Each structure stands twice: as structure tokens, then as C-alpha cells.
């Protein structure tokens, strides 16, 4: 689960990370009022679940409250990476002498949280990682012992020369690590962590991604979910108990089981297509799930063909067939559909589909090839 910058900052403030104050506005007038309270220059920042807001024009320095209002009216409603900005954070501007990057990610390979820090922070950290990886220090943490003081100091020295700044940075590493662990993060990031001309080390941006599997243990964090800021298809899918991830291709996939879903996407790619999504309707038989899955997939204008790939074990293929019939009666399809099903109650399923004008096969390769070809034809 993604949370907003202002929410991540709140979590980190509680751990003691030095962060300028801030308040959230949903209208230009509110932004002006907040700017008035703080006085001086403020930063107006788009609150969306996307990086690169600065480059997209979603972060602006306003010298007066009326300018804050003007920028807020431009940023509110703006699209950043397909997401509409509905809130801005208004925060007093800091003076910047240098910008560093500090992040912790949960690394699957080492099964550990790994610190990644760089003195070359700011908006081009991806570029730094690609072209000058030596400017990034990676440090895995053994969760049995946590971040040790000597490790925090080492990270601090990688960012700053001046011992006063190193000490401040080391403390912030500990606080970030504590926030990462307590909130159940898979990622926590401060970029930029700046040094001011006066020598203070301050966090000006914060990003946290919460591991969905941790949400049951952290109801306070789960409550931070902002559905209005999420992709509508992902919200619908979650509410329908489907595992769904939107992708950029044009072959809409409806599959049962995560493994088969991955194999299906691989095969789509193998035959030269691009999957529009990952979707797992799960193991249980429930025609309703199929109806919901089709609703979500057909709402995506990129989808040019739909591919069902069902291996009936616990899932009864006749239930899936009934789901397809019901769903397409409710909302007639505008794109071609290719159905592959095999396993439990296969004969019954095939009969249901045939009676309702669908053709289906039990051969996975054949079905995938056909779906890819149909999507190509329509493109
Ligand atoms: P991002 O582009 O989505 O990561 O948004 P950031 O919050 O990191 O802002 C992008 C850039 O805006 C930062 O790297 C800074 O250069 C600049 N910026 C953000 N806050 C301030 C501030 O308080 N003062 C100044 N001078 N620049 C800021
Ligand atoms: Mn940033």
C-alpha cells in the first residue's frame, strides 16, 4: 500500500526525524491560508502516489500566499503518471546547501532490509544509480540486531564530511529504520535529505510503501489508505477479493492461481504480446468473481483481447463458464475473448459455453497464441 508524503512525514516525525511542519490543502484558498500562517516562502507539493513530482511540475516554491494559491490551483487537478492530484502539501521552504538520498528497501534476495544512501540525492537519483553506482552505498541490516550505531555512522560518513552533519545523519538513519520496522514497510525513503547552509540536516521529502501483508497488524497504518488516490481498477479488484495488478499491454488476462497467472503472462510475452494485467481469481469457485474480473478488465481501454486461462482443480470450470455467460449478458463484450479451460467439470463447462455461443479449448499454447493475434489485429 502506498501512502502520501504528508502521511509518511507524520510517521517519521514521531520517530524524531527533523522535518519542516506542513499542512494539507484541497483547494487553492486553503493553500493560501496555510501559506499565510507560515509566512515567508513555502513549497506547494502534489500529494500523489508517484515519484518524479518535481520534474512533472508538481513541486513549486511560492514566495507569497497569493503565489501559493496560484500554484495550488495549477497543481490541484494535475495528472502525474496517470494519477489526478487531489491534495497539496504546503510547507515552509528550506534553504538547501546539498541534497542526499537515504532509502531502505526490503530486499528479497538477501531477505533483509537494505539501506541505500547517496550524497548525490535529489530528483535524479535513478540517473545516479544507472550511471555512477559507486556513489551509492548499500548496507544490509540483520533484523535480529537492528541498525548498529557503527553502521549508522558509516552511512552518515558516506553522505557528509563534517562530523556534526554525520552525527545528525546517523541519528536520522536510526529513526528512519525504526519507522520502517514499526510501520511494516517494504520501502522507506527520504529524498532529498538536505543539509542547510546553517549546517542542519533535514528531510524534505518522504515516501513509504507498506507491505500489504502487514496491514492486519497495523490498523492505524491501514487507516491511512487513500482510495481516491489509487487506480480505480485496483480499488475495485481489492474490494472484490481479486489479486489484480494493472500493466501496460493489451491482452487482458483472467487466470486462477498466481503461478498460472505468471506462466500465462510469460506465454503472452513469448508469443509476442503484452499482458494488460495480472489477475488471479483465486482458487475457490465463484461465478461472481468472474463477473467482477471481467468488469475490471473491460473498463481498461487498452485491452484489445481477453484471455481466460483456467485450470480446474478446486476451481470448477463450469462455475467459471457460468460467470463468463452472466458477465457478458450483463455487459456485452466489445473485444474478442479467448477461453482456455481444463480440469474439474470441463465437459459441463464446454457445453455451457457452446450453448451460449462461445468457443473454448483446453490447449494453453493455442489459446495464448490466438489471444495475442486478436489483440494485434485490433491494434
Ligand atoms: P519528488 O520530485 O516527487 O521527489 O519531490 P521532492 O519533494 O523530492 O521535491 C523535488 C525537489 O524540489 C527537491 O529535490 C528539491 O530540489 C526541491 N525542493 C523540495 N522542497 C524544497 C524546499 O523546501 N526548498 C527548496 N529550495 N527546494 C525544495
Ligand atoms: Mn523526492
Amino acid at each position: 500500500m502506498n501512502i502520501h508524503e504528508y502521511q509518511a512525514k507524520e510517521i517519521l516525525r514521531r520517530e524524531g526525524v527533523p522535518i519542516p511542519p506542513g499542512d494539507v490543502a484541497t483547494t487553492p484558498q486553503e493553500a493560501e491560508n496555510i501559506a499565510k500562517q507560515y509566512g515567508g516562502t513555502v513549497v506547494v507539493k502534489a500529494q500523489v502516489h508517484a515519484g518524479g513530482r518535481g520534474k512533472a511540475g508538481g513541486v513549486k516554491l511560492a514566495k507569497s500566499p497569493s503565489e501559493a494559491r496560484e500554484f495550488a490551483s495549477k497543481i490541484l487537478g494535475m495528472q502525474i503518471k496517470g494519477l489526478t492530484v487531489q491534495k497539496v502539501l504546503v510547507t515552509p521552504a528550506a534553504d538547501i546547501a546539498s541534497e542526499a538520498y537515504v532509502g531502505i528497501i526490503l530486499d528479497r534476495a538477501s531477505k533483509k532490509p537494505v539501506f541505500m544512501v547517496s550524497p548525490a540525492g535529489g530528483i535524479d537519483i535513478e540517473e545516479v544509480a544507472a550511471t555512477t553506482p559507486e556513489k551509492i552505498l548499500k548496507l544490509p541490516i540483520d533484523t535480529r540486531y537492528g541498525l548498529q550505531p557503527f553502521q549508522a555512522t558509516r552511512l552518515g560518513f558516506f553522505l557528509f564530511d563534517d562530523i556534526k552533519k554525520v552525527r545528525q545523519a546517523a541519528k536520522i538513519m536510526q529513526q528512519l529504520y525504526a519507522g520502517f520496522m514499526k510501520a511494516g514497510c517494504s520501502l522507506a525513503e527520504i529524498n532529498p535529505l538536505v543539509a542547510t547552509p546553517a549546517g542542519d540536516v533535514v528531510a524534505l521529502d518522504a515516501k513509504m510503501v507498506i507491505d500489504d501483508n502487514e496491514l492486519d497488524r497495523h490498523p492505524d497504518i491501514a487507516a491511512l489508505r487513500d482510495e481516491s488516490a489509487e487506480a480505480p481498477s485496483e480499488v475495485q479488484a481489492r474490494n472484490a477479493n481479486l489479486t489484480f495488478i494493472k500493466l501496460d499491454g493489451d491482452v487482458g488476462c483472467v487466470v486462477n492461481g498466481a503461478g498460472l497467472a505468471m506462466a500465462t503472462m510469460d506465454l503472452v510475452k513469448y508469443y509476442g504480446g503484452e499482458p494488460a494485467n495480472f489477475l488471479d481469481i483465486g482458487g475457490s469457485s465463484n461465478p461472481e468473481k468472474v463477473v467482477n474480473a471481467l468488469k475490471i478488465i473491460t473498463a481498461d481501454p487498452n485491452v484489445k483481447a481477453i484471455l481466460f486461462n483456467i485450470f480446474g482443480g478446486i476451481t470448477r470450470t463450469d462455475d467459471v463458464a457460468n460467470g463468463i455467460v452472466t458477465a457478458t449478458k450483463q455487459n456485452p463484450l466489445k473485444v474478442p475473448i479467448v477461453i482456455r479451460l481444463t480440469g474439474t467439470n470441463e465437459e459441463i463447462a464446454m457445453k455451457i459455453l457452446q450453448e451460449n455461443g462461445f468457443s473454448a479449448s483446453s490447449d494453453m499454447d493455442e489459446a495464448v497464441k490466438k489471444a495475442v493475434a486478436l489483440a494485434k489485429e485490433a491494434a
Side-chain angles (χ1 to χ4, degrees):
M1 178 181 88
N2 288 306
I3 60 174
H4 289 298
E5 172 191 2
Y6 75 90
Q7 296 169 319
K9 280 181 165 173
E10 198 46 56
I11 292 172
L12 293 178
R13 267 191 207 108
R14 263 183 257 143
E15 298 302 326
V17 177
I19 296 170
D23 224 329
V24 174
T26 53
T27 65
Q29 184 60 54
E30 274 172 30
E32 180 174 344
N33 296 346
I34 298 166
K36 256 185 212 151
Q37 272 174 31
Y38 292 131
T41 304
V42 297
V43 195
V44 182
K45 312 183 73 179
Q47 299 298 289
V48 275
H49 297 156
R53 297 164 303 162
K55 280 188 182 165
V59 177
K60 295 265 187 230
L61 257 68
K63 294 198 187 65
S64 66
S66 66
E67 211 177 28
R69 180 196 180 95
E70 195 184 313
F71 286 137
S73 76
K74 284 198 183 120
I75 295 173
L76 288 163
M78 177 189 261
Q79 294 264 327
I80 300 179
K81 295 187 181 156
L83 297 164
T84 307
V85 182
Q86 295 175 2
K87 293 176 191 166
V88 291
L89 172 65
V90 182
T91 168
D95 290 329
I96 301 178
S98 67
E99 300 188 68
Y101 171 92
V102 179
I104 310 174
I105 53 143
L106 191 61
D107 177 45
R108 283 168 182 254
S110 61
K111 300 174 187 162
K112 290 184 172 117
V114 176
F115 264 91
M116 301 214 294
V117 305
S118 172
I123 56 177
D124 281 322
I125 189 67
E126 285 84 5
E127 181 73 15
V128 172
T131 58
T132 49
E134 69 279 5
K135 285 189 185 156
I136 297 178
L137 173 66
K138 293 186 187 175
L139 184 72
I141 304 301
D142 187 324
T143 50
R144 288 171 298 182
Y145 312 118
L147 176 67
Q148 294 295 302
F150 75 90
Q151 293 175 310
T153 308
R154 181 171 162 219
L155 293 167
F157 268 115
F158 196 74
L159 301 185
F160 301 109
D161 299 324
D162 170 51
I163 186 65
K164 280 189 190 151
K165 287 180 199 149
V166 172
R167 287 203 183 108
Q168 293 177 69
K171 203 167 163 192
I172 292 169
M173 304 292 171
Q174 297 281 16
Q175 293 161 336
L176 179 65
Y177 182 75
F180 176 94
M181 295 302 284
K182 281 188 204 166
C185 292
S186 54
L187 176 146
E189 201 177 80
I190 298 173
N191 184 33
L193 178 70
V194 305
T196 67
D200 295 320
V201 178
V202 184
L204 293 193
D205 187 14
K207 174 177 171 159
M208 280 185 169
V209 180
I210 315 294
D211 184 337
D212 288 342
N213 297 313
E214 292 269 358
L215 292 174
D216 283 344
R217 294 205 286 178
H218 304 282
D220 53 326
I221 304 283
L224 299 178
R225 187 186 289 284
D226 178 1
E227 286 200 339
S228 72
E230 297 180 324
S233 54
E234 294 193 3
V235 177
Q236 260 180 297
R238 193 175 50 248
N239 294 337
N241 269 320
L242 300 165
T243 311
F244 174 87
I245 294 158
K246 169 143 176 48
L247 301 167
D248 295 329
D250 54 10
V251 180
C253 304
V254 185
V255 189
N256 69 316
L260 188 59
M262 296 299 283
T264 306
M265 295 188 338
D266 280 351
L267 212 55
V268 167
K269 287 224 168 209
Y270 180 77
Y271 287 121
E274 288 292 335
N277 64 279
F278 171 100
L279 191 151
D280 174 9
I281 59 168
S284 74
S285 301
N286 182 349
E288 192 58 28
K289 278 199 170 179
V290 177
V291 173
N292 285 324
L294 267 175
K295 254 188 216 157
I296 292 162
I297 286 185
T298 50
D300 179 352
N302 291 339
V303 170
K304 299 285 182 271
I306 296 167
L307 170 66
F308 267 79
N309 187 11
I310 305 296
F311 185 88
I314 297 169
T315 304
R316 288 171 37 185
T317 58
D318 56 324
D319 275 342
V320 175
N322 279 325
I324 294 172
V325 172
T326 311
T328 51
K329 269 189 189 142
Q330 281 173 11
N331 302 296
L333 287 177
K334 296 188 184 72
V335 294
I337 183 170
V338 179
I339 304 164
R340 181 262 176 162
L341 36 85
T342 191
T344 310
N345 290 358
E346 184 179 329
E347 294 79 16
I348 306 172
M350 293 291 185
K351 194 156 168 270
I352 294 168
L353 289 171
Q354 268 157 21
E355 280 169 7
N356 288 278
F358 292 97
S359 64
S361 90
S362 59
D363 185 310
M364 177 156 156
D365 274 87
E366 190 186 296
V368 173
K369 265 193 232 171
K370 195 167 158 196
V372 170
L374 286 169
K376 283 230 166 87
E377 258 171 50

